[in-house]
Amino acid sequence: MSEELQIAKEQLDSHFEEELEDELSSTDIAEYLKTIKKNDDEQYEEYLEKLDPEVLGEVAMEMPDHMIKDVIEILPKDKVVEAIEELESDDQVELLKYIKDIDDKKARELFNELDEEDQADILKLSIYEENEAGAYMQTELFSARSDESLESAIQRLKKLKEEGELEDIYQLFVVDEENKLKYSIPLYDLITCNFKDTIGDIVKNAPEDEYKPHFALDSDNIEDVATDFQEFDLSVLPIINSSGVLVGRITTDDIHDFIQESATEQIYNLAGLDDEAEEEDDTIYKAGLSRASWLFLNLGTALLSSFVISFFDATIESFVALAILMPIVSAMGGNAGTQALTVTVRKLALGEIEFSDAKYVLKREISIAVINSIIFGILLGIVSAVWFKTPMLGVVICSAMIINLSLSGFFGAIIPMTLKKLKIDPAVGSSVLLTTFTDIIGFLSFLGLATWILI
């Protein structure tokens, strides 16, 4: 038995024996189950069946698709339904979406077994588009009217917490008779107030606008909501509809998940990959086919670069050193462009820049690229001149480096900003376009200058 497997089994055995407060996190359990599944299917199923429904739902959220498939095939339907009901509404929607992708019929069966309240919440959240704030909110929240006493509100909160209906409560949302959001009071303020006072009295005695709520519309873009969380250091944000009615809330863990998913998607897209194609449960054929489409495009751009080189075959034949140094120019240009591209895509993703900031972004990235191009151009020029005992070769490669790196900085910034302006994901295809430009410019500048100066 491998050491990794032994540790996984010991940790899970400990998990089932310890008290609730000593339990592993859902992420830890999912990782240990993943390790055991790779080595011992029988033991894996045994541990899976031992999971309590209260834990199972959270663990399933951390599992890859092939393990979620095990959950719905191995475990009794009643247990899976109970596990889904233990989740908050936004997580219920997400888990059912995962299950639907695996087995649509099974997802419908599980949904039909849920209680009516959970079904209503899931349907309510499912109507939102993927990029809308409403798709990320949870309907569970702590609200009260102005005429309710603080004592009564706290007793309700205590009961809801004991019943497991509410988790991670940060604020009390004050609503009117039509459930329209009026105020938002932090819990740490409430515990210092007189419990006999009404919520209205507490608001009235506070400084003006003290409890004015910071909110978002359910139709707002989730990227804008994430920006608000970071800018205002929020722990929770109430969500209202176009009529001002309180419909849910978004918490920091929801935003954390969104940012993590976005970052992962950006990384995959920069490499020309479909995020889902890299899931562990995908077959080699499926993953390979997904990657092949981008490799085919890369092949086309590589052939284009080779076509450019073919124009200078006589120059290369008469001066062999050019063939040795040529890849350095294109590689350095590609790296410089990728640096500018990565920084620009990140800033676009975080909402730190828009197309209107193009002048500032281009000025900054080109300036950085020019400075680096001069430094490395001179360095490589000296090395080349000494290496091949041809001073003018050093001049050629130095000049080509300055041209290519400078333009690489320009294209690394302008390509993603232009794609964003055209409402295309700036990460998708940017690297392929950039590589095409940097290779062609590098070869043209280096071989063109060589033909002009050396031949």
Side-chain angles (χ1 to χ4, degrees):
M1 182 185 298
S2 68
E3 183 179 354
E4 184 182 23
L5 178 60
Q6 182 63 39
I7 292 173
K9 288 184 175 181
E10 288 177 357
Q11 290 286 358
L12 285 177
D13 285 335
S14 176
H15 160 71
F16 293 118
E17 293 171 2
E18 295 291 337
E19 296 297 323
L20 185 63
E21 60 268 22
D22 296 323
E23 287 186 353
L24 298 168
S25 71
S26 56
T27 304
D28 289 334
I29 295 174
E31 286 299 319
Y32 289 131
L33 285 171
K34 192 185 302 182
T35 300
I36 293 172
K37 178 177 172 60
K38 292 176 182 177
N39 298 274
D40 190 335
D41 281 339
E42 186 176 339
Q43 188 96 59
Y44 163 72
E45 293 184 13
E46 181 183 331
Y47 283 126
L48 201 59
E49 290 168 350
K50 284 183 179 180
L51 287 176
D52 188 272
E54 290 185 13
V55 179
L56 176 60
E58 296 289 347
V59 173
M61 293 290 295
E62 304 297 332
M63 290 178 169
D65 286 355
H66 67 94
M67 290 179 66
I68 295 178
K69 185 177 180 181
D70 293 336
V71 169
I72 60 178
E73 289 181 350
I74 295 173
L75 301 181
K77 183 168 64 175
D78 291 347
K79 183 172 184 177
V80 178
V81 168
E82 188 178 350
I84 295 173
E85 289 179 339
E86 291 291 337
L87 294 171
E88 293 177 332
S89 53
D90 56 332
D91 290 334
Q92 289 178 335
V93 173
E94 189 171 356
L95 182 54
L96 278 174
K97 181 181 177 183
Y98 293 155
I99 295 173
K100 183 179 180 181
D101 291 340
I102 298 167
D103 187 335
D104 184 60
K105 182 180 178 181
K106 191 72 172 182
R108 280 188 269 116
E109 289 177 359
L110 293 171
F111 175 80
N112 291 333
E113 293 294 323
L114 297 173
D115 64 47
E116 292 183 2
E117 185 177 348
D118 285 324
Q119 289 184 355
D121 288 340
I122 291 169
L123 291 174
K124 186 189 300 182
L125 297 181
S126 298
I127 65 172
Y128 293 102
E129 297 293 332
E130 188 176 347
N131 65 335
E132 290 183 324
Y136 290 82
M137 71 180 183
Q138 52 189 242
T139 58
E140 298 86 358
L141 43 77
F142 180 37
S143 63
R145 294 184 181 177
S146 297
D147 58 357
E148 183 177 8
S149 70
L150 176 58
E151 183 177 20
S152 172
I154 294 298
Q155 287 299 321
R156 278 197 303 109
L157 174 61
K158 182 180 178 181
K159 183 179 179 182
L160 290 170
K161 291 284 287 182
E162 289 173 348
E163 294 174 350
E165 296 293 325
L166 289 178
E167 294 181 13
D168 302 324
I169 299 302
Y170 305 98
Q171 294 182 334
L172 167 64
F173 301 125
V174 184
V175 296
D176 62 13
E177 294 78 7
E178 297 178 335
N179 207 41
K180 293 183 177 180
L181 179 65
K182 295 300 180 182
Y183 307 101
S184 180
I185 308 176
L187 287 190
Y188 54 75
D189 275 10
L190 291 177
I191 61 175
T192 64
C193 298
N194 188 334
F195 277 35
K196 299 300 181 182
D197 288 346
T198 64
I199 305 298
D201 291 335
I202 294 171
V203 173
K204 184 179 179 181
N205 294 330
E208 188 176 359
D209 293 335
E210 174 76 11
Y211 299 128
K212 182 178 179 181
H214 190 110
F215 60 85
L217 288 170
D218 56 357
S219 58
D220 283 349
N221 192 298
I222 188 61
E223 291 185 3
D224 296 331
V225 174
T227 300
D228 280 354
F229 265 84
Q230 294 175 345
E231 184 175 344
F232 298 103
D233 195 24
L234 302 175
S235 56
V236 64
L237 188 68
I239 305 298
I240 63 173
N241 63 18
S242 57
S243 301
V245 174
L246 180 65
V247 291
R249 63 172 183 154
I250 292 179
T251 58
T252 49
D253 64 312
D254 302 318
I255 294 300
H256 175 269
D257 290 344
F258 165 73
I259 292 174
Q260 188 176 45
E261 289 169 6
S262 298
T264 301
E265 183 180 359
Q266 294 290 335
I267 291 170
Y268 277 88
N269 285 340
L270 278 172
L273 294 173
D274 179 359
D275 186 5
E276 295 182 2
E278 287 302 294
E279 286 291 340
E280 293 181 15
D281 54 311
D282 279 345
T283 63
I284 293 175
Y285 173 77
K286 184 179 178 182
L289 189 63
S290 175
R291 299 185 189 190
S293 59
W294 284 99
L295 289 175
F296 184 78
L297 182 57
N298 277 324
L299 176 61
T301 61
L303 288 172
L304 183 59
S305 298
S306 298
F307 183 68
V308 171
I309 295 172
S310 68
F311 283 112
F312 301 95
D313 55 352
T315 302
I316 297 172
E317 286 178 12
S318 61
F319 212 101
V320 180
L322 298 177
I324 299 173
L325 297 173
M326 187 169 58
I328 300 176
V329 179
S330 62
M332 290 294 290
N335 287 333
T338 300
Q339 289 174 343
L341 177 69
T342 303
V343 171
T344 305
V345 168
R346 177 186 176 277
K347 288 183 177 180
L348 286 169
L350 295 176
E352 295 178 2
I353 57 173
E354 298 290 340
F355 191 79
S356 56
D357 301 309
K359 184 177 180 180
Y360 162 76
V361 175
L362 289 173
K363 182 179 178 181
R364 174 181 172 80
E365 293 303 328
I366 292 174
S367 297
I368 294 172
V370 168
I371 292 171
N372 283 331
S373 70
I374 293 172
I375 294 172
F376 290 100
I378 292 174
L379 178 62
L380 186 57
I382 294 172
V383 171
S384 301
V386 173
W387 185 3
F388 296 99
K389 300 177 182 178
T390 308
M392 292 310 294
L393 177 59
V395 174
V396 168
I397 197 166
C398 177
S399 301
M401 286 276 285
I402 292 173
I403 293 170
N404 196 24
L405 266 68
S406 299
L407 289 176
S408 295
F410 169 78
F411 285 115
I414 198 64
I415 288 173
M417 296 192 74
T418 302
L419 291 176
K420 181 76 171 180
K421 180 69 174 178
L422 296 174
K423 300 188 183 302
I424 300 172
D425 187 341
V428 177
S430 289
S431 59
V432 176
L433 292 172
L434 177 65
T435 301
T436 303
F437 283 119
T438 55
D439 283 354
I440 291 176
I441 292 168
F443 295 141
L444 271 176
S445 59
F446 182 51
L447 296 176
L449 286 170
T451 303
W452 178 42
I453 296 174
L454 299 176
I455 305 303

